[in-house]
Amino acid sequence: MAARWWRRCLRGLCGTALFLSQLSVLSGRAGSLVTTKLSQPQSTLAKSLTSTSTNAPYFKALESTEIPPYVTNCPSNGLCSRLPPDCMTCNTNYSCIYGKTATFDCKVKPHVHCVDENNHEQENFTINMTCQFCWQLATSDYVCTNSTNCMTVSCPRQRYNATCTVRDHIHCLGNRVFPKMLYCNWTGGYKWSTALALSITLGGFGADRFYLGQWREGLGKLFSFGGLGIWTLIDVLLIGVGYVGPADGSLYI
């Protein structure tokens, strides 16, 4: 009886030891899985933070070293008051009187360097200019596009939509590029003196009309001997006063 009892006790102890060993192995595997899952997001986050931190200074460096295009038109270390208008930013003086000279407070744009009369670098300065908008300037103060489609000798005289740009040394209020309606003023290279000389000397043969590009009228004058002289005299008067011009509608030189 005693031997059987000892055998049962040994079997119970062996089963308990086996259960505890299996439980320890399972708990170890679960712990390793949890640690690996937790470590993966941290490593990914660390990589993203590292990539962001290394790329951020690179973009900032590009932004800081980029030079605006207007800097090429701004003379370096010159007088601030003589800088082109594109190199400065001025506050509008709403108390100025139209047509009168007024003082405007200005500041140089970034990357622009200028000095005062004492050769000291400065950023804020004042300039004097006439109180008027850019589209109110004289025609000599801006440059406009030309049109070769409208007729300059039409009646009434035709106009065209032009885009005008203020010259670099002129200061004015408002937009420096503006639209404007202008009279047709282009030329095809025809000279009024040449047309008049041909009309007087060879007008009976239609040379003046051929020169101006009017082939039908030239052939008519050629085969009618200048309309027996009457057409020739009329053309001399019409070309002399500028009523008859080039066939393409341009102006005489």
Side-chain angles (χ1 to χ4, degrees):
M1 295 294 292
R4 292 181 180 178
W5 183 80
W6 282 110
R7 288 177 183 177
R8 291 179 181 177
C9 289
L10 289 174
R11 290 178 182 176
L13 292 174
C14 291
T16 304
L18 181 61
F19 174 76
L20 292 175
S21 62
Q22 291 178 355
L23 182 62
S24 63
V25 171
L26 291 175
S27 62
R29 290 181 180 179
S32 63
L33 290 175
V34 172
T35 54
T36 52
K37 289 182 178 180
L38 290 176
S39 62
Q40 286 180 355
Q42 291 178 357
S43 61
T44 306
L45 180 60
K47 289 181 180 180
S48 63
L49 291 175
T50 304
S51 62
T52 305
S53 61
T54 54
N55 291 336
Y58 177 72
F59 290 113
K60 289 181 179 179
L62 287 179
E63 293 178 358
S64 60
T65 57
E66 185 178 359
I67 300 176
Y70 60 80
V71 177
T72 56
N73 299 326
C74 303
S76 180
N77 296 327
L79 290 176
C80 295
S81 58
R82 295 185 180 180
L83 286 174
D86 293 336
C87 304
M88 65 181 73
T89 303
C90 299
N91 297 327
T92 305
N93 187 356
Y94 294 100
S95 61
C96 66
I97 301 175
Y98 172 74
K100 302 294 183 180
T101 303
T103 302
F104 293 83
D105 296 327
C106 301
K107 181 180 181 180
V108 294
K109 291 184 178 180
H111 301 281
V112 178
H113 303 281
C114 62
V115 296
D116 56 6
E117 290 77 4
N118 298 324
N119 204 21
H120 295 156
E121 187 173 357
Q122 63 176 359
E123 294 183 358
N124 300 317
F125 57 95
T126 59
I127 62 171
N128 296 324
M129 66 177 178
T130 305
C131 181
Q132 59 182 351
F133 288 98
C134 295
W135 59 270
Q136 296 173 323
L137 293 171
T139 55
S140 59
D141 293 335
Y142 53 84
V143 180
C144 300
T145 57
N146 292 326
S147 175
T148 58
N149 297 325
C150 55
M151 302 292 290
T152 59
V153 293
S154 63
C155 185
R157 191 174 177 184
Q158 290 185 3
R159 293 173 178 259
Y160 70 99
N161 292 319
T163 302
C164 302
T165 305
V166 182
R167 299 184 184 274
D168 292 338
H169 64 282
I170 302 298
H171 294 273
C172 57
L173 302 176
N175 296 327
R176 299 184 61 82
V177 179
F178 54 91
K180 198 166 187 178
M181 291 289 294
L182 298 178
Y183 285 109
C184 298
N185 58 352
W186 68 284
T187 179
Y190 297 95
K191 292 184 178 180
W192 172 82
S193 58
T194 302
L196 182 60
L198 291 174
S199 181
I200 294 174
T201 57
L202 301 175
F205 301 99
D208 50 354
R209 293 284 183 165
F210 286 127
Y211 172 73
L212 296 176
Q214 302 175 6
W215 297 96
R216 295 179 180 177
E217 292 80 355
L219 291 174
K221 290 182 69 175
L222 177 62
F223 291 108
S224 65
F225 299 102
L228 300 178
I230 298 176
W231 195 350
T232 302
L233 294 176
I234 294 176
D235 274 355
V236 171
L237 295 176
L238 295 179
I239 293 175
V241 299
Y243 185 79
V244 173
D248 57 5
S250 62
L251 292 173
Y252 288 114
I253 296 178

